[in-house]
Amino acid sequence: MAMPSGGRARWRSRIAAVIVLALCFCGVARALAAAPEAACPVLGLSPGQSDVPSLPQLCFLRDEAHALGPEDILGGRLPMSRRDADQLVFRHNQSDYWIYVPLRNLERAGRTWYLQLDYPLLDEVDAWTYDLGTGTGPRASPRLLGTVRMGDARPFGARPVRHRLFLLPLDFGPGQSLAVVLRVHSSGAINVPLSLHSGASAIGWTQDHGLSQGMFLGALVMLALFNAALYLRLRIRQSLYNTAYIVCAGLFLTSMSGLSFQYLWPDWPWLANRSVPLTEILAILSLLWFTRHFLGIGPDRWPRQSRLIRLLAGAGAALLAASLIVPYELIIKIDTAYALACMAAMFGLGLRHLRRGERAARWYVLSWLVFFAGYLAYGLAAFGYIPGFMAQERWMQIALGSQMFLLTYAEVMQLHDLMHRALEIEAGARSSLQHEVQSRTADLRATMGALEQANRQLRELTLHDPLTGLLNRRGLDEALARFAETEGAAVRGTLVMFDLDHFKRVNDVHGHDAGDAALRWVAEVLLNLLRRRSDVLARFGGEEFVALLPATSLDDAVILAAGVLDHVRRNPIDLGDGHAIGITLSAGAAQWKEGETPQSLFRRADENLYRAKASGRDRLVADGAA
């Protein structure tokens, strides 16, 4: 049945109205998306807030044609996507990525913040900072405050803050709003984990991270020196290759973390990029030759395994040369695929030798299992497949350090097995294999000598207090025993005990970190004011210090100790955060008498110290004082 003409007209008018409403809605949506104020929420920085670990809901867009500028992003003429900063992860491409970061200081006073980009492997990081006003009165147009151009493709000195990561200082006035427009371009994967830190928070974070990096690199240096000592002492080739592996792998991680660019070649951006594939290949080549000698893979005994290692080493040498000329985005993928193939081959070789019952191969295989756990997550984060590069970096350090320790331990176990084998050969065939047994015994004796020296060094460490570096109670007892054997009480000198007054109050009011700082500072004062080579300084207890001054009269010791008390009294301790605390010391002095034991001398000095504290503290009581 046909619809009347009047009904058709009404339906047409309704459809037209719906279309008009839809077009109006789309226009309004586009207008809202184009306005940066609506699409990009301004992050308010509250009073007392110290940091923002990950900036939320940042606006970004991809510029494939490299045709945009900061005004395009600031003006809001283009629609932008929104994503949290820790999710700004992009794989290899040649596009520019623009990020818009609007911030507002909610405090009534000015404050400095640091915008931090926690991914060091970026070629170009450009930042434009705009003043958006204070939010009161008529709104002024954004005013450009400054431009910073950073990245691995530029000299390290171009960065406003000398740090391996990208730090941009932002100086806010009271209630001021600033906007940062970032352009990021890189030939590799792109991670843009942005965070904000106040001045104190940034310093604390840098110190903590520097401590962890220093501890990790220090551990690598110790392992490398240990393997180098084994090679120089025993001429075991796998120790030499293990040393090379530790050094090259450490350089690879420092290149990935930006430390090499900061400290080794800050004026060589080309080398900063090329150091990653170069050190990766060198580390794999060193590990290949370590595997060959550690597992005893020779052309006569294991011809196929030997050919495999030589083939992989030849390919690595070719890639080493190619890493100097092939574009980074291509060579890093090839090198990573090559590294995975080599690691799989070395792990398979270790399993083959483990099945043959070689005990040292257990630790070799275990080292690879630990390493794979960290390398997989680290590689996925480095290539932009998962976020959290900094967290994966720490996990990779743990995995790599554990692998190096296990490889070194495997060497020691191999030497241990050689010792038992030598003893069995000597017992079973002493007459026919005497020369070989003597050679192996000499090697093992050298190893035992190296271990004995290490034990002596360890014993030296046990005599010192880890916090202050002074002797501990055990070291002081040994020093007193040595001086007790010296002829003449005058030569033995005077013993002075110091005690930090109201130390519990320092811990309760300012925290244990301040207490540790106070103890370290007192130790530094004692070292500076009592610096003779023969003087013995020790931390006796929690807040007690002891100074043994040989060949020093009681009067001279009183003068020296009084200088220490006066210096401590007049110089407050700077805690590093704008606060300082004043402390005082109490002291007791006793001169060594003829026929006296260290215990009685120590007891008299302690009694004098108790008298000093009982009479009001911040004073010195010596023998004979009322």
Side-chain angles (χ1 to χ4, degrees), residues 108-389:
R108 296 181 179 178
R111 192 175 183 185
T112 299
W113 288 82
Y114 289 87
L115 182 64
Q116 179 172 302
L117 203 167
D118 295 336
Y119 187 73
L121 301 177
L122 296 173
D123 293 341
E124 299 176 6
V125 178
D126 298 336
W128 292 266
T129 304
Y130 291 90
D131 179 12
L132 300 182
T134 60
T136 61
R139 180 175 180 81
S141 60
R143 179 170 58 92
L144 179 63
L145 297 179
T147 303
V148 176
R149 300 185 182 276
M150 304 174 283
D152 287 350
R154 292 145 180 172
F156 191 84
R159 305 186 182 191
V161 178
R162 189 175 181 273
H163 196 276
R164 70 182 188 92
L165 303 176
F166 302 106
L167 289 174
L168 179 64
L170 301 174
D171 296 321
F172 286 88
Q176 185 181 20
S177 295
L178 297 180
V180 179
V181 178
L182 290 174
R183 185 189 72 88
V184 179
H185 176 81
S186 188
S187 55
I190 294 178
N191 287 260
V192 196
L194 291 170
S195 58
L196 270 176
H197 302 275
S198 64
S201 175
I203 293 174
W205 182 90
T206 301
Q207 290 177 339
D208 294 341
H209 192 268
L211 176 62
S212 64
Q213 292 284 346
M215 293 176 61
F216 172 71
L217 294 178
L220 293 192
V221 170
M222 294 300 296
L223 283 175
L225 291 176
F226 178 78
N227 280 275
L230 282 181
Y231 171 73
L232 293 176
R233 185 69 177 178
L234 305 178
R235 298 297 175 182
I236 302 175
R237 286 196 175 185
Q238 58 258 36
S239 297
L240 175 63
Y241 295 122
N242 197 13
T243 303
Y245 170 62
I246 293 172
V247 172
C248 294
L251 285 174
F252 170 74
L253 280 187
T254 56
S255 298
M256 291 289 290
S257 66
L259 288 173
S260 295
F261 191 28
Q262 180 178 357
Y263 292 106
L264 300 182
W265 36 77
D267 299 324
W268 296 77
W270 176 85
L271 186 55
N273 271 309
R274 295 294 170 173
S275 62
V276 174
L278 287 174
T279 53
E280 182 181 20
I281 294 299
L282 287 173
I284 291 297
L285 289 175
S286 302
L287 198 53
L288 278 172
W289 288 109
F290 169 83
T291 301
R292 180 177 182 270
H293 288 275
F294 178 79
L295 298 179
I297 301 175
D300 297 332
R301 188 179 180 186
W302 305 100
R304 292 184 179 179
Q305 297 181 13
S306 179
R307 284 197 298 270
L308 175 61
I309 289 182
R310 291 183 179 274
L311 178 62
L312 293 174
L319 286 177
L320 189 64
S323 297
L324 298 173
I325 55 176
V326 177
Y328 176 84
E329 62 271 16
L330 176 60
I331 195 63
I332 192 63
K333 295 179 180 179
I334 298 174
D335 286 355
T336 303
Y338 166 77
L340 287 173
C342 290
M343 288 187 288
M346 287 184 280
F347 180 68
L349 292 174
L351 288 177
R352 291 285 299 273
H353 286 260
L354 179 61
R355 292 194 186 99
R356 295 184 64 253
E358 299 180 14
R359 193 169 67 145
R362 301 177 189 174
W363 301 104
Y364 179 84
V365 172
L366 179 60
S367 71
W368 279 110
L369 292 175
V370 173
F371 175 78
F372 284 142
Y375 185 82
L376 179 61
Y378 184 70
L380 291 175
F383 281 94
Y385 288 95
I386 60 175
F389 176 79

Side-chain angles (χ1 to χ4, degrees), residues 520-530 563-564 567-568 585:
R520 286 193 295 267
W521 187 75
V522 171
E524 182 179 354
V525 171
L526 293 175
L527 288 171
N528 289 332
L529 299 183
L530 308 175
V564 172
H567 184 84
V568 171
L585 296 178

Side-chain angles (χ1 to χ4, degrees), residues 489-496 532 535-536 547-558 588-592 601 622-623:
V491 177
R492 298 170 192 165
T494 303
L495 185 140
V496 184
R532 294 186 306 176
D535 293 340
V536 175
L548 178 59
L549 309 176
T552 304
S553 66
L554 182 62
D555 293 338
D556 292 338
V558 167
Q591 187 172 17
W592 210 314
L601 173 69
D623 283 342

